[in-house]
Every structure is written in structure tokens, then in C-alpha cells.
Amino acid sequence: MKAFWALVNKTGQNFITQAIATYKGLFGWLSVWSFTSVAISAPILNMVVVTSVGSYAFSGEAMKNVAVGVSIGAMNYIIFGGITQSYAYERNLATAQMLFASPANRFLNYMSRSMLHLPNGLLCFAVSLTSAWLIVGLDFGPANWLGMILAAVITALTLTMFAQMLGVFSFITSDWSTYFNPVLNTIGILNGIVLPLVVFPKSIAEIARFVPMTNGVIAIRAAYKGSEMSGIAVPLLREFSNGLLYFLVGYIGFVIFERVAKRQGTLDLDEH
Amino acid sequence: MLDKIRALYASFLIQLKLRSSLSRMVPDLAAAIPTTATWTWLALQSHSKDVLTYIFIGSPLVAVWATAAFIIGWSLRNEKSAMTVPFIIVSRTSMMSVISGKMFAEMLMAIPYGMLGTAVVIAVSRQLPEIANIWLLVPSLLLAVTGLFVLSLLLAPLALAVRGRGGFFNGIIPLGTAMGGFLYPISRLPHAFQIIARFFPMSWAMDSVWQSIRGVDSWGVFFRGWGMSLLLSAIFFLAAWWLFRVVEKQIRVSGSLEN
């Protein structure tokens, strides 16, 4: 029993060490100005842009609905950017070879990379929701706060898993910035935050339910309007299961890349 | 003066070559499509042709601002990393001429974005823009672009002077998008942000763009837009000139290119 707890303790410490190391060493926005820009300024300004352009189409409760969605959408930039760049920098700074040469548990390593980015996403959500309250005058009277917080946490988890999946792609290509904006903007049009899903054909709307945040947006809007937990359980479960799917695909990609790279003797797979 | 123009032209050509590769352009162009489509859809809900035309004109400007501000903003730091700054320092070429040349190249590279934005707006709206007075629109647009140009120019020495690291522009680019008036007249912003927006030359020029699209309500307001845009652009240009001199002096006095 003692040995078991010693192993758990050591594994936990190892996990925390890796989480801190990958975050501090590979997160390029970890300076006061950069972090404040992306975590505080950008969510506020994004809310300003969306509500100002959105005022062409929405007003009153419809605008508040959009603003609530935008607040949860504020998480995506910092989470995607933070995680995908850390994979790319791992390649560019030549530390990937160290990882592949080490006996480190790959599952723990993969999991640890996203952990400290998750609170960043929640911070952006909080800032964005506050700015929505100030700009469009959100009324939290009937809101189901537990539901809103749960929706935010689960959506943040899904976003980290999706970013991990994309991060593996960054790992392979040593590049994160080229596809970052196209992916982010494509998700932005399909997640129902600004464009309601009803404007799309049914087939596209159903595909959109597999896009990160789509179900989280449905859940948080329902929770804001006061829906009970039973009313938001289904979209939250869908969001969570999407996250598990991204996690699985990403982890398999992570492991396969290492095997292929070792077999070929190089991390630059396009040389073969 | 001729030397400055030669340096400007040389850096213009280099930047054009660097940026005109398809592998760089295609992702940026692809990224612009969903957002332009979203704004067009929103504009359609207003059932106002003026709003649709405004988005038609403004959405390429947003793409230009985001790309140019980012690339020009990092250009001095990239010159430092590529070890080409010593040549600029040693020669009599001013840094500002080099960066201005790059900026002109970025403006030219904006044409594909403009064309794509136009195509997306027309495809989503299935309408053509309607402009009340195109002869007023063109100079107003030129002033908006000039404001965009000088603001982007200011970012290059700023990033170096404040030792900007990765993510430096994450707050600045959205600031320009929000306050520039590219997607909406400034009057649509919350009051506190309207005050901030008035420090941006583009916001004044876009007022005149809005009047050109709808028809001029007040010539006073229209020409005020031109006047303030020119004045603020001149101030930002002088600020950029001064900051370039500060950065050059910093490098010459310290004798080091390290931050």
C-alpha cells in the first residue's frame, strides 16, 4: 500500500513538473504585456467588435444571447494558440528528441501539456463575460450559475483536447501559425456563436455539433436563461464526448508520430 | 532623397517576393473567408444596402490591417534575427525607408484580399454594392488606408523599443479592428470606446467613407473626417519617425543588437 502511494505521489509530481516545464518553456505569450493582451484586452475588444457588428442583426435579448456565446468563445484563441505553439516550439527548440529518447510516460506527458492552459481559457471567459455584462447589460437574475460554470469548464476541456489534437499536427510540421487562423475562423463560423446553426443546411448543422464549442454554447445559453441541469445535460455530454474523441485521435497521432520518426530516424517526415 | 527612394524600392521588392509565395498567402486568404461571410450575413439582417456596402468596403481593410500590422510590426525584430540590421545601421539608409518599402508591398499584397472579400460578400449577399458618390469614396478610402499605413509603421519600432515578445500584437491588432471603424461607423461603439476610437486616423476617414456610401448629410462632417484623418496620420507619422530614430540611437549607443 505504501509503495502504491509512493508511486502515485511520484507520478503526480512528475506530472506537475512536466506541466510546469512545458508551460513555462514553450508558451511564448508568458510575458506581462503578451499575456495581458491575449487574456484581457483581446476578449474585451472581441466583444466590442462582435456586439457592434452584431447590432446590425441583433438587439435586446437576441444580442445578449450572442454576447453569452461570445464569452465562451473567448477561450479558443488562448487555448489553441498556447497549446499548438508549444508543440511547434518543442520541435523548433529541438527538445522533442529529448522526449523521444526518454522513458517518460507518453500518456502523462501528453496530458500534462494542456493542463496549465485550461485556467487561461477560463480567465478569458470570465473577462469576456464581464465585458458582455458591461456592454450589453446581461441580466444574471434567472441564470443557473452552476450550469454556466460547468458549461465553461467542459467547453474549456474540449478546447484543450482539440488544441492537443491540432498540436500533434504542429509537432509534425513544426509550424502552428500557418493553419491557426484558418482553423479558428472555420470553427468560429460553425460553432453557433454568431451565425445560428439554422442558417446552414441540416447536414452542415449536424457536422457543426462535432465542432468544439458548439454544444457548449447551447448549454451556456440555456443556463444563462435559467434552464435546470437536466436541460443542459445533453449538450454538455455531447461537448464532453467530442472532447474525448479529440483526445483519442490526438494521442494516437502523438504516439504514431514518435514510432514513425524513430523508424525513419528523423523528425522531418517529409524528407522521406 | 533619391537614396531613400532606392532603399524603399529595394525593400518593397524583397517584401513582395517574400510574401507572394502561395504557401503563405493561401492560409491567410482561407482564414478571411469565414469571417467575411459572417459579417456579410450580419449586414444582410439589417436590410440596409448602405450597411452591406460598408462591410463590402471595410472587410478587406480589416484583413489588410491584421496582416500588415502583424508582419510590419515584427519586421524590425525579424531583421535583427536575420542579422540584416547591421547593414542598415552601417549604411546611410534609414530604417524607416526600409520598413516603409515593406509596408507598400503589404498594401499591394492586400489586393488579393480585397478581391476575395468582394467575391465573398457578393456570393453571400447576391447583391452588388451601391455607392452614392464614388468620387468622394475613393479619396476617403485612400485616407483610411493612409491611416492604416502610418499606424502599422509605428508598430515596428514600438515592438523593438518596448522589447516586445511573442504575442505582443495580440492586443494591438484587435484594438485597430475594433477602433478603426472598418466594419461599423464609430457611432455604433459604446460611448467610452468612441472616445478611444477618435485617436485612430482610420476612424475619421471611415466616417467620410460612410457618408460617401449613403450620400453626404453634412459637408462639415464629411470634410472634418478628411481633416482629422490627415492630422492624426501626420502625428502618427511623426511619432513613427521619432521612434525609429530612438531605436536606431539605442542600437548605435549600446553597440548591441541584443535586447
Side-chain angles (χ1 to χ4, degrees):
Chain A
M1 200 61 183
K2 245 188 174 177
F4 172 74
W5 285 115
L7 180 65
V8 167
N9 195 32
K10 188 181 170 188
T11 305
Q13 280 180 352
N14 206 338
F15 179 82
I16 291 168
T17 304
Q18 288 182 69
I20 292 171
T22 53
Y23 186 75
K24 281 183 81 175
L26 301 172
F27 184 33
W29 296 340
L30 205 58
S31 66
V32 173
W33 175 273
S34 301
F35 191 82
T36 309
S37 292
V38 74
I40 310 290
S41 310
I44 295 171
L45 292 167
N46 195 44
M47 182 63 70
V48 169
V49 171
V50 176
T51 52
S52 298
V53 185
S55 65
Y56 291 139
F58 307 110
S59 62
E61 289 307 309
M63 176 61 88
K64 290 175 186 176
N65 209 36
V66 169
V68 169
V70 171
S71 65
I72 212 169
M75 296 195 281
N76 63 5
Y77 193 88
I78 199 170
I79 290 177
F80 283 169
I83 292 174
T84 52
Q85 71 180 249
S86 69
Y87 276 97
Y89 293 155
E90 178 118 56
R91 279 292 309 275
N92 296 334
L93 296 171
T95 51
Q97 294 90 318
M98 308 299 168
L99 169 66
F100 288 166
S102 76
N105 183 300
R106 301 301 191 250
F107 182 78
L108 274 185
N109 180 267
Y110 183 75
M111 282 289 294
S112 68
R113 289 165 180 274
S114 60
M115 283 301 106
L116 292 179
H117 293 280
L118 199 142
N120 292 342
L122 294 172
L123 172 64
C124 289
F125 165 70
V127 169
S128 192
L129 192 67
T130 307
S131 62
W133 170 60
L134 291 168
I135 292 170
V136 302
L138 295 181
D139 175 16
F140 291 109
N144 173 353
W145 274 105
L146 178 63
M148 287 185 74
I149 291 166
L150 205 58
V153 170
I154 288 175
T155 306
L157 262 171
T158 309
L159 283 171
T160 55
M161 293 304 114
F162 186 78
Q164 286 268 66
M165 190 178 75
L166 289 184
V168 173
F169 190 65
S170 301
F171 207 37
I172 296 169
T173 59
S174 314
D175 179 24
W176 68 282
S177 56
T178 303
Y179 63 86
F180 177 66
N181 280 325
V183 169
L184 213 65
N185 292 350
T186 305
I187 288 169
I189 203 174
L190 292 175
N191 58 20
I193 288 178
V194 178
L195 291 188
L197 293 181
V198 293
V199 308
F200 297 112
K202 267 196 170 170
S203 51
I204 305 278
E206 201 41 52
I207 292 170
R209 296 291 285 253
F210 289 95
V211 163
M213 284 192 288
T214 307
N215 300 290
V217 168
I218 292 169
I220 200 170
R221 281 174 172 162
Y224 166 71
K225 287 173 187 164
S227 178
E228 297 290 325
M229 295 304 285
S230 54
I232 63 172
V234 169
L236 284 182
L237 275 169
R238 274 196 86 153
E239 188 71 34
F240 187 70
S241 57
N242 286 345
L244 285 177
L245 180 67
Y246 305 142
F247 174 81
L248 206 62
V249 170
Y251 181 62
I252 290 169
F254 187 63
V255 167
I256 289 176
F257 173 61
E258 182 182 352
R259 289 191 185 171
V260 171
K262 279 178 171 170
R263 199 180 312 129
Q264 294 185 354
T266 177
L267 293 176
D268 296 314
L269 302 185
D270 57 1
E271 285 178 4
H272 292 260
Chain B
M1 188 66 189
L2 206 57
D3 292 336
K4 283 194 168 70
I5 294 170
R6 276 202 202 105
L8 199 146
Y9 182 62
S11 67
F12 166 81
L13 285 178
I14 293 169
Q15 187 70 7
L16 207 60
K17 269 191 189 165
L18 282 173
R19 289 280 287 140
S20 56
S21 80
L22 273 177
S23 63
R24 286 174 188 262
M25 279 181 64
V26 167
D28 287 343
L29 287 168
I33 295 170
T35 38
T36 308
T38 304
W39 295 326
T40 308
W41 184 86
L42 289 170
L44 274 175
Q45 309 314 303
S46 69
H47 304 291
S48 162
K49 278 238 162 191
D50 296 335
V51 168
L52 192 65
T53 305
Y54 197 87
I55 294 287
F56 179 87
I57 290 164
S59 53
L61 291 177
V62 175
V64 171
W65 161 251
T67 315
F70 183 79
I71 289 170
I72 298 303
W74 284 127
S75 56
L76 263 185
R77 274 192 57 130
N78 292 342
E79 295 269 352
K80 243 185 65 169
S81 312
M83 296 301 289
T84 49
V85 168
F87 296 105
I88 302 171
I89 297 290
V90 161
S91 77
R92 277 171 278 187
T93 306
S94 74
M95 271 187 185
M96 196 164 172
S97 305
V98 173
I99 304 302
S100 298
K102 289 174 183 264
M103 194 62 208
F104 279 119
E106 288 299 324
M107 292 292 157
L108 192 66
M109 292 307 298
I111 293 173
Y113 291 102
M115 287 165 61
L116 181 69
T118 303
V120 170
V121 173
I122 293 173
V124 172
S125 67
R126 295 176 200 201
Q127 297 175 43
L128 290 174
E130 282 180 13
I131 300 162
N133 193 327
I134 196 154
W135 302 110
L136 294 179
L137 176 70
V138 171
S140 304
L141 212 49
L142 277 172
L143 285 173
V145 169
T146 304
L148 199 155
F149 181 103
V150 294
L151 209 55
S152 303
L153 202 59
L154 179 65
L155 294 177
L158 186 67
L160 210 58
V162 302
R163 302 179 182 187
R165 286 179 50 184
F168 180 75
F169 293 108
N170 284 339
I172 292 175
I173 291 171
L175 186 65
T177 306
M179 304 296 151
F182 300 128
L183 298 172
Y184 40 80
I186 298 302
S187 53
R188 280 191 177 262
L189 284 171
H191 286 298
F193 289 101
Q194 285 185 38
I195 297 168
I196 301 168
R198 287 312 183 190
F199 287 95
F200 287 74
M202 304 88 81
S203 68
W204 293 97
M206 291 306 289
D207 274 352
S208 301
V209 166
W210 183 230
Q211 295 242 2
S212 309
I213 292 169
R214 296 175 63 203
V216 177
D217 298 328
S218 154
W219 287 104
V221 170
F222 181 82
F223 285 116
R224 185 186 66 182
W226 280 15
M228 288 303 297
S229 174
L230 276 168
L231 177 66
L232 284 169
S233 296
I235 291 171
F236 277 112
F237 185 80
L238 285 171
W241 174 81
W242 174 77
L243 213 49
F244 270 107
R245 283 173 66 93
V246 165
V247 163
E248 269 190 70
K249 193 177 175 186
Q250 234 175 35
I251 296 170
R252 286 181 199 280
V253 167
S254 68
S256 164
L257 292 169
E258 297 304 315
N259 274 340

Short mmCIF file of all heavy atoms in Angstrom, two decimals, chain A residues 178-207:
data_model
loop_
_atom_site.label_atom_id
_atom_site.label_comp_id
_atom_site.label_asym_id
_atom_site.label_seq_id
_atom_site.Cartn_x
_atom_site.Cartn_y
_atom_site.Cartn_z
N THR A 178 0.60 28.93 -39.44
CA THR A 178 0.03 28.91 -40.80
C THR A 178 -1.43 28.51 -40.81
O THR A 178 -2.25 29.13 -41.49
CB THR A 178 0.83 27.94 -41.69
OG1 THR A 178 2.20 28.33 -41.68
CG2 THR A 178 0.31 27.92 -43.12
N TYR A 179 -1.78 27.48 -40.06
CA TYR A 179 -3.16 27.00 -40.12
C TYR A 179 -4.00 27.47 -38.93
O TYR A 179 -5.20 27.20 -38.87
CB TYR A 179 -3.19 25.47 -40.20
CG TYR A 179 -2.61 24.78 -38.99
CD1 TYR A 179 -3.40 24.54 -37.87
CD2 TYR A 179 -1.28 24.39 -38.95
CE1 TYR A 179 -2.88 23.93 -36.76
CE2 TYR A 179 -0.75 23.78 -37.83
CZ TYR A 179 -1.55 23.55 -36.74
OH TYR A 179 -1.03 22.95 -35.63
N PHE A 180 -3.38 28.19 -38.02
CA PHE A 180 -4.06 28.62 -36.80
C PHE A 180 -5.31 29.45 -37.11
O PHE A 180 -6.41 29.13 -36.66
CB PHE A 180 -3.07 29.42 -35.94
CG PHE A 180 -3.64 30.00 -34.68
CD1 PHE A 180 -4.07 29.18 -33.66
CD2 PHE A 180 -3.74 31.37 -34.50
CE1 PHE A 180 -4.58 29.70 -32.49
CE2 PHE A 180 -4.24 31.90 -33.34
CZ PHE A 180 -4.67 31.08 -32.34
N ASN A 181 -5.13 30.52 -37.89
CA ASN A 181 -6.27 31.38 -38.20
C ASN A 181 -7.33 30.71 -39.06
O ASN A 181 -8.52 30.84 -38.78
CB ASN A 181 -5.80 32.69 -38.85
CG ASN A 181 -5.30 33.67 -37.82
OD1 ASN A 181 -5.81 33.74 -36.71
ND2 ASN A 181 -4.26 34.41 -38.17
N PRO A 182 -6.94 29.97 -40.13
CA PRO A 182 -8.00 29.29 -40.90
C PRO A 182 -8.84 28.34 -40.05
O PRO A 182 -10.07 28.33 -40.17
CB PRO A 182 -7.22 28.51 -41.97
CG PRO A 182 -5.95 29.25 -42.13
CD PRO A 182 -5.64 29.81 -40.79
N VAL A 183 -8.19 27.58 -39.17
CA VAL A 183 -8.94 26.64 -38.32
C VAL A 183 -9.83 27.40 -37.34
O VAL A 183 -11.02 27.10 -37.20
CB VAL A 183 -7.98 25.70 -37.55
CG1 VAL A 183 -8.72 24.91 -36.48
CG2 VAL A 183 -7.28 24.76 -38.51
N LEU A 184 -9.26 28.40 -36.71
CA LEU A 184 -10.01 29.18 -35.71
C LEU A 184 -11.24 29.84 -36.35
O LEU A 184 -12.35 29.83 -35.78
CB LEU A 184 -9.09 30.27 -35.17
CG LEU A 184 -9.26 30.67 -33.72
CD1 LEU A 184 -8.92 29.52 -32.80
CD2 LEU A 184 -8.37 31.85 -33.39
N ASN A 185 -11.04 30.42 -37.51
CA ASN A 185 -12.14 31.13 -38.17
C ASN A 185 -13.19 30.16 -38.71
O ASN A 185 -14.38 30.49 -38.71
CB ASN A 185 -11.61 32.03 -39.30
CG ASN A 185 -10.78 33.18 -38.76
OD1 ASN A 185 -10.75 33.42 -37.57
ND2 ASN A 185 -10.09 33.87 -39.64
N THR A 186 -12.77 28.98 -39.15
CA THR A 186 -13.74 27.99 -39.63
C THR A 186 -14.60 27.49 -38.46
O THR A 186 -15.83 27.38 -38.59
CB THR A 186 -13.03 26.80 -40.30
OG1 THR A 186 -12.18 27.30 -41.33
CG2 THR A 186 -14.02 25.82 -40.89
N ILE A 187 -13.95 27.24 -37.34
CA ILE A 187 -14.71 26.86 -36.14
C ILE A 187 -15.64 27.98 -35.74
O ILE A 187 -16.79 27.76 -35.34
CB ILE A 187 -13.74 26.52 -34.99
CG1 ILE A 187 -13.05 25.20 -35.28
CG2 ILE A 187 -14.46 26.45 -33.67
CD1 ILE A 187 -11.91 24.93 -34.34
N GLY A 188 -15.15 29.21 -35.88
CA GLY A 188 -15.94 30.37 -35.49
C GLY A 188 -17.24 30.52 -36.27
O GLY A 188 -18.21 31.05 -35.75
N ILE A 189 -17.25 30.04 -37.49
CA ILE A 189 -18.47 30.18 -38.29
C ILE A 189 -19.44 29.04 -38.02
O ILE A 189 -20.64 29.16 -38.24
CB ILE A 189 -18.12 30.28 -39.80
CG1 ILE A 189 -19.24 30.98 -40.58
CG2 ILE A 189 -17.81 28.93 -40.40
CD1 ILE A 189 -18.89 31.23 -42.03
N LEU A 190 -18.92 27.91 -37.51
CA LEU A 190 -19.75 26.71 -37.33
C LEU A 190 -20.22 26.49 -35.89
O LEU A 190 -21.04 25.63 -35.64
CB LEU A 190 -18.97 25.46 -37.79
CG LEU A 190 -18.70 25.34 -39.29
CD1 LEU A 190 -17.82 24.13 -39.56
CD2 LEU A 190 -20.01 25.22 -40.06
N ASN A 191 -19.67 27.25 -34.94
CA ASN A 191 -19.99 26.94 -33.54
C ASN A 191 -21.26 27.60 -33.02
O ASN A 191 -21.59 27.48 -31.85
CB ASN A 191 -18.80 27.26 -32.63
CG ASN A 191 -18.38 28.71 -32.71
OD1 ASN A 191 -19.14 29.57 -33.15
ND2 ASN A 191 -17.16 28.99 -32.29
N GLY A 192 -21.95 28.32 -33.89
CA GLY A 192 -23.25 28.87 -33.50
C GLY A 192 -23.17 30.11 -32.62
O GLY A 192 -24.20 30.57 -32.12
N ILE A 193 -21.99 30.66 -32.43
CA ILE A 193 -21.86 31.83 -31.56
C ILE A 193 -22.50 33.05 -32.21
O ILE A 193 -23.29 33.78 -31.60
CB ILE A 193 -20.39 32.11 -31.21
CG1 ILE A 193 -19.89 31.04 -30.23
CG2 ILE A 193 -20.21 33.49 -30.62
CD1 ILE A 193 -18.44 31.17 -29.84
N VAL A 194 -22.18 33.29 -33.48
CA VAL A 194 -22.75 34.45 -34.17
C VAL A 194 -23.82 33.98 -35.16
O VAL A 194 -24.96 34.41 -35.10
CB VAL A 194 -21.66 35.28 -34.89
CG1 VAL A 194 -22.28 36.44 -35.62
CG2 VAL A 194 -20.64 35.78 -33.88
N LEU A 195 -23.40 33.09 -36.07
CA LEU A 195 -24.35 32.56 -37.04
C LEU A 195 -25.15 31.44 -36.39
O LEU A 195 -24.57 30.44 -35.97
CB LEU A 195 -23.63 32.00 -38.26
CG LEU A 195 -22.93 32.98 -39.20
CD1 LEU A 195 -22.46 32.25 -40.45
CD2 LEU A 195 -23.84 34.11 -39.60
N PRO A 196 -26.47 31.58 -36.32
CA PRO A 196 -27.26 30.47 -35.76
C PRO A 196 -27.13 29.24 -36.66
O PRO A 196 -27.02 29.38 -37.89
CB PRO A 196 -28.70 31.00 -35.78
CG PRO A 196 -28.62 32.41 -36.21
CD PRO A 196 -27.29 32.70 -36.78
N LEU A 197 -27.16 28.07 -36.06
CA LEU A 197 -26.99 26.84 -36.85
C LEU A 197 -28.10 26.65 -37.87
O LEU A 197 -27.92 25.95 -38.87
CB LEU A 197 -26.92 25.61 -35.93
CG LEU A 197 -25.69 25.54 -35.03
CD1 LEU A 197 -25.72 24.26 -34.19
CD2 LEU A 197 -24.40 25.60 -35.83
N VAL A 198 -29.24 27.27 -37.65
CA VAL A 198 -30.38 27.11 -38.58
C VAL A 198 -30.12 27.69 -39.96
O VAL A 198 -30.83 27.38 -40.91
CB VAL A 198 -31.69 27.70 -38.01
CG1 VAL A 198 -32.15 26.91 -36.80
CG2 VAL A 198 -31.53 29.17 -37.68
N VAL A 199 -29.10 28.57 -40.07
CA VAL A 199 -28.85 29.16 -41.40
C VAL A 199 -28.15 28.14 -42.31
O VAL A 199 -28.13 28.32 -43.53
CB VAL A 199 -28.01 30.46 -41.34
CG1 VAL A 199 -28.60 31.45 -40.37
CG2 VAL A 199 -26.56 30.23 -41.06
N PHE A 200 -27.61 27.09 -41.70
CA PHE A 200 -26.91 26.08 -42.51
C PHE A 200 -27.86 24.97 -42.90
O PHE A 200 -28.86 24.72 -42.22
CB PHE A 200 -25.75 25.47 -41.70
CG PHE A 200 -24.68 26.45 -41.31
CD1 PHE A 200 -24.49 26.81 -39.99
CD2 PHE A 200 -23.84 27.00 -42.28
CE1 PHE A 200 -23.50 27.71 -39.62
CE2 PHE A 200 -22.86 27.90 -41.92
CZ PHE A 200 -22.70 28.26 -40.59
N PRO A 201 -27.53 24.25 -44.00
CA PRO A 201 -28.29 23.02 -44.31
C PRO A 201 -28.16 22.04 -43.14
O PRO A 201 -27.18 22.09 -42.40
CB PRO A 201 -27.59 22.48 -45.56
CG PRO A 201 -26.81 23.60 -46.12
CD PRO A 201 -26.49 24.53 -45.00
N LYS A 202 -29.13 21.16 -43.00
CA LYS A 202 -29.17 20.22 -41.86
C LYS A 202 -27.89 19.41 -41.73
O LYS A 202 -27.41 19.17 -40.61
CB LYS A 202 -30.37 19.27 -42.00
CG LYS A 202 -31.61 19.73 -41.31
CD LYS A 202 -32.62 18.62 -41.13
CE LYS A 202 -33.72 19.13 -40.19
NZ LYS A 202 -34.86 18.24 -40.12
N SER A 203 -27.36 18.98 -42.88
CA SER A 203 -26.16 18.14 -42.84
C SER A 203 -24.99 18.93 -42.22
O SER A 203 -24.23 18.40 -41.41
CB SER A 203 -25.80 17.65 -44.24
OG SER A 203 -25.75 18.74 -45.13
N ILE A 204 -24.83 20.19 -42.63
CA ILE A 204 -23.74 21.03 -42.10
C ILE A 204 -23.98 21.31 -40.61
O ILE A 204 -23.05 21.29 -39.80
CB ILE A 204 -23.64 22.37 -42.86
CG1 ILE A 204 -23.49 22.15 -44.35
CG2 ILE A 204 -22.50 23.23 -42.30
CD1 ILE A 204 -22.11 21.84 -44.84
N ALA A 205 -25.24 21.56 -40.26
CA ALA A 205 -25.58 21.83 -38.85
C ALA A 205 -25.24 20.62 -37.98
O ALA A 205 -24.79 20.78 -36.85
CB ALA A 205 -27.05 22.18 -38.73
N GLU A 206 -25.43 19.42 -38.52
CA GLU A 206 -25.12 18.23 -37.74
C GLU A 206 -23.61 18.04 -37.61
O GLU A 206 -23.11 17.66 -36.55
CB GLU A 206 -25.77 17.00 -38.40
CG GLU A 206 -25.96 15.80 -37.49
CD GLU A 206 -26.42 16.12 -36.08
OE1 GLU A 206 -27.44 16.83 -35.93
OE2 GLU A 206 -25.75 15.67 -35.13
N ILE A 207 -22.87 18.35 -38.67
CA ILE A 207 -21.40 18.31 -38.59
C ILE A 207 -20.92 19.33 -37.57
O ILE A 207 -19.97 19.09 -36.81
CB ILE A 207 -20.77 18.59 -39.98
CG1 ILE A 207 -21.06 17.44 -40.94
CG2 ILE A 207 -19.25 18.80 -39.87
CD1 ILE A 207 -20.70 17.71 -42.38
#
